[in-house]
Amino acid sequence: MGKRRDQAMIVGNWKMHKTRQEALAFVKELRQKLTEPSRAAYLAVPFTYIEPLAKEAEGSPIVIGAQNMNAASEGAFTGEIAGKMLIDVGARFVLIGHSERRNLYGETDEIIRKKIRRAIDDGLPPILCIGETLQEHESGKKEEVLRRQLSACLEGVQKAEANRICVAYEPVWAIGTGRSATAAMAQETQAFCRQVLKDLVGVRASADLPILYGGSVKPENAEELLKQEDVDGLLIGGASLSLASFSEIVNHRG
Ligand code: PGA
């Protein structure tokens, strides 16, 4: 059975953008614009906005989450934040291993594996981000890289835990570049990831472990991407900052 397209997970990643006022106004207006109140729309926001936005989103299908967390449950880690603290202020999911965390802040697969484990244990569902660089892409190493990232980052994850995780395939060369993978390319790669996930964790059904695509998703290419069998949702950076673009994608997902 194929996935149910109307259940596609749409996740915005605001990165380090917006003032508190802008963020609150966005969520307030998004609530009004959602045409299907039963379908969730996810937003990964800066830490300091989690609590006010979670309050603003109460009783709506908007789900607020974080963009990162530490692998430890607490301790002497100046400037860091724990999963439990995020839950405490209303976060309901967390992005882990985004390519910007990997490339700019030195997060390795080993660090990411620990964060995934902590997030699962804390009860904060993680979205694990993976993806190959342009150089890896051009030298034909994509599958090798994705297999390595998935197996290293999900090591120790049990089949019964799989439904608490999502994977986001984000080719690094497509993030913020305006150069998205084609729908066919995303489908082929995500079918490969699905097979790897079956081998690793024993799950194949998209409902049990959704695979999102991310990288230059816009209203213009979202629909085509979501038509693909193995694209269960979208992780959207730049286009999630605009209420018009994000609500268009959310409302037209199927
Ligand atoms: P983009 O970012 O949509 O701006 O390419 C995606 C992401 O970084 O998650």
Side-chain angles (χ1 to χ4, degrees):
M1 287 294 286
K3 65 185 171 143
R4 291 199 36 212
R5 210 176 137 225
D6 60 352
Q7 295 299 327
M9 272 183 75
I10 308 296
V11 186
N13 173 14
W14 280 357
K15 309 190 181 184
M16 200 170 74
H17 290 289
K18 294 196 186 292
T19 65
R20 180 184 160 104
Q21 280 318 312
E22 288 166 352
L24 280 164
F26 187 108
V27 169
K28 202 175 267 182
E29 286 173 50
L30 181 61
R31 276 188 87 137
Q32 315 292 320
K33 280 185 174 278
L34 293 180
T35 50
E36 280 288 344
S38 59
R39 298 194 211 162
Y42 299 79
L43 280 175
V45 304
F47 294 137
T48 52
Y49 305 158
I50 292 172
E51 185 156 33
L53 294 187
K55 287 212 174 93
E56 186 62 51
E58 252 170 40
S60 84
I62 302 168
V63 181
I64 302 297
Q67 300 170 13
N68 180 33
M69 63 177 260
N70 194 272
S73 65
E74 62 179 358
F77 303 106
T78 301
E80 289 294 301
I81 194 138
K84 282 187 288 192
M85 298 169 180
L86 298 172
I87 292 173
D88 223 12
V89 291
R92 285 166 59 196
F93 72 96
V94 60
L95 302 182
I96 300 283
H98 188 278
S99 73
E100 286 149 21
R101 300 296 319 167
R102 293 174 186 261
N103 300 333
L104 303 172
Y105 300 99
E107 289 194 13
T108 59
D109 285 337
E110 176 60 9
I111 293 171
I112 294 163
R113 181 186 67 73
K114 291 182 178 154
K115 291 187 175 195
I116 293 284
R117 171 48 49 205
R118 177 67 58 196
I120 294 173
D121 290 348
D122 283 350
L124 187 61
I127 299 179
L128 166 66
C129 304
I130 57 168
E132 81 286 2
T133 62
L134 183 61
Q135 196 201 4
E136 288 162 345
H137 185 80
E138 286 177 343
S139 57
K141 296 213 172 90
K142 177 179 74 182
E143 294 194 348
E144 181 189 325
V145 169
L146 296 177
R147 185 186 293 279
R148 192 190 64 224
Q149 290 178 340
L150 284 171
S151 49
C153 299
L154 294 177
E155 197 193 313
V157 171
Q158 305 299 311
K159 191 175 176 182
E161 296 171 322
N163 61 358
R164 294 180 228 163
I165 304 175
C166 292
V167 166
Y169 167 58
E170 297 201 297
V172 179
W173 47 268
I175 296 178
T177 58
R179 184 185 161 199
S180 164
T182 62
M185 222 189 263
Q187 166 54 29
E188 189 195 312
T189 311
Q190 298 195 188
F192 169 78
C193 293
R194 182 89 67 208
Q195 183 59 44
V196 175
L197 289 169
K198 180 170 175 273
D199 299 344
L200 281 174
V201 231
V203 281
R204 188 170 186 100
S206 57
D208 293 334
L209 209 167
I211 307 178
L212 319 181
Y213 168 80
S216 294
V217 175
K218 306 269 179 295
E220 300 75 46
N221 59 6
E223 197 170 336
E224 192 58 29
L225 284 159
L226 285 176
K227 275 188 195 150
Q228 310 306 310
E229 180 67 23
D230 290 294
V231 178
D232 304 317
L234 302 168
L235 180 52
I236 307 165
S240 75
L241 294 171
S242 144
L243 183 67
S245 305
F246 190 65
S247 59
E248 186 177 342
I249 297 172
V250 168
N251 285 333
H252 293 102
R253 70 180 99 168

